[in-house]
Amino acid sequence: DIQMTQSPSSLSASVGDRVTITCRASQSISSYLNWYQQKPGKAPKLLIYAASSLQSGVPSRFSGSGSGTDFTLTISSLQPEDFATYYCQQSYSTPGTFGPGTKVDIK
Amino acid sequence: EVQLVESGGGLVQPGGSLRLSCAASGFTFSSYWMSWVRQAPGKGLEWVANIKQDGSEKYYVDSVKGRFTISRDNAKNSLYLQMNSLRAEDTAVYYCARWNLATVTQFYYYYMDVWGKGTTVTVSS
């Protein structure tokens, strides 16, 4: 199975900050990488698919990049509603493993 | 409105069984792969199982193989997860999710774009 790691596991940031989250796969997954946002008590929400394609309705301050084994999710200017946990997931092979998550909270 | 609604969760003793259901609406259910994903209390997301549009292919995470069975009824727009021999470590919120497909630079990419709100399964004596 492909293992996914994320860093950092948590971060504190202020509204307006630029935030970058890193995801790494244990083997090359090309661009088969998705990003989800989850708020407490809620279902995950798709943000980015195919490493860099923005899901419809997701604000443009979210962006994704990378290919192979290393990927990043960037929030260009953090907004109050962005405080949440972010997960990467590979869709290159079954099982579609998730990263452990990165919690973004208020500084 | 595109929607998934899970039901069937509850408290069950170790070794017991439970059947989860997921009712789909607002889209052509029979056109999509579907999944179950779970989240143990305070933990991350774990993909559990996938099923192809016609039910002919099914995949499971190793930890549930032989115990869980995913199925679907396209006539009823419903997805199911039969869970047997339940263990304490199966305690989680169980989400159903739709796998969608996009073509990007001539390649096909899968992602879960619609999620239900989840149903809680607690395995405890």
Side-chain angles (χ1 to χ4, degrees):
Chain A
D1 296 356
I2 297 174
Q3 307 303 316
M4 307 299 293
T5 58
Q6 288 181 234
S7 61
S9 57
S10 65
L11 66 89
S12 295
S14 301
V15 173
D17 283 353
R18 182 182 182 88
V19 169
T20 299
I21 298 168
T22 297
C23 175
R24 177 165 289 175
S26 60
Q27 66 182 73
S28 177
I29 57 170
S30 183
S31 295
Y32 293 89
L33 193 283
N34 307 316
W35 289 99
Y36 300 87
Q37 176 195 67
Q38 188 181 34
K39 297 180 180 178
K42 301 295 185 181
K45 173 187 174 182
L46 176 69
L47 300 176
I48 302 281
Y49 63 92
S52 61
S53 295
L54 192 68
Q55 170 68 351
S56 175
V58 174
S60 59
R61 62 181 180 272
F62 291 93
S63 64
S65 65
S67 67
T69 60
D70 295 315
F71 302 87
T72 59
L73 173 71
T74 299
I75 309 171
S76 60
S77 177
L78 198 66
Q79 297 302 300
E81 60 268 29
D82 301 336
F83 292 97
T85 300
Y86 294 84
Y87 295 92
C88 62
Q89 185 217 10
Q90 63 85 13
S91 58
Y92 180 82
S93 66
T94 299
T97 39
F98 289 89
T102 295
K103 185 177 181 180
V104 177
D105 62 21
I106 301 172
K107 181 183 286 183
Chain B
E1 180 191 4
V2 174
Q3 196 171 9
L4 296 170
V5 179
E6 302 95 337
S7 61
L11 174 63
V12 61
Q13 292 186 340
S17 298
L18 214 52
R19 189 196 196 205
L20 305 184
S21 299
C22 171
S25 59
F27 65 99
T28 305
F29 178 73
S30 59
S31 296
Y32 294 88
W33 281 80
M34 296 295 296
S35 277
W36 288 98
V37 175
R38 67 184 179 183
Q39 186 169 37
K43 302 297 185 182
L45 300 169
E46 180 183 39
W47 170 84
V48 174
N50 272 6
I51 186 168
K52 194 177 179 179
Q53 290 93 330
D54 62 359
S56 62
E57 294 182 37
K58 305 175 184 180
Y59 301 95
Y60 301 91
V61 69
D62 283 349
S63 59
V64 308
K65 282 180 183 174
R67 300 188 300 122
F68 289 12
T69 302
I70 189 172
S71 63
R72 64 192 297 162
D73 185 335
N74 288 340
K76 295 183 177 180
N77 293 329
S78 293
L79 176 72
Y80 305 101
L81 186 67
Q82 177 66 45
M83 304 185 295
N84 298 330
S85 303
L86 282 161
R87 306 167 180 168
E89 54 265 35
D90 296 318
T91 294
V93 175
Y94 285 73
Y95 297 100
C96 67
R98 182 180 83 172
W99 277 95
N100 208 340
L101 172 68
T103 305
V104 179
T105 62
Q106 301 180 328
F107 292 93
Y108 294 102
Y109 293 92
Y110 280 94
Y111 48 89
M112 290 184 277
D113 67 337
V114 180
W115 295 68
K117 293 184 177 181
T119 187
T120 300
V121 173
T122 303
V123 184
S124 175
S125 54

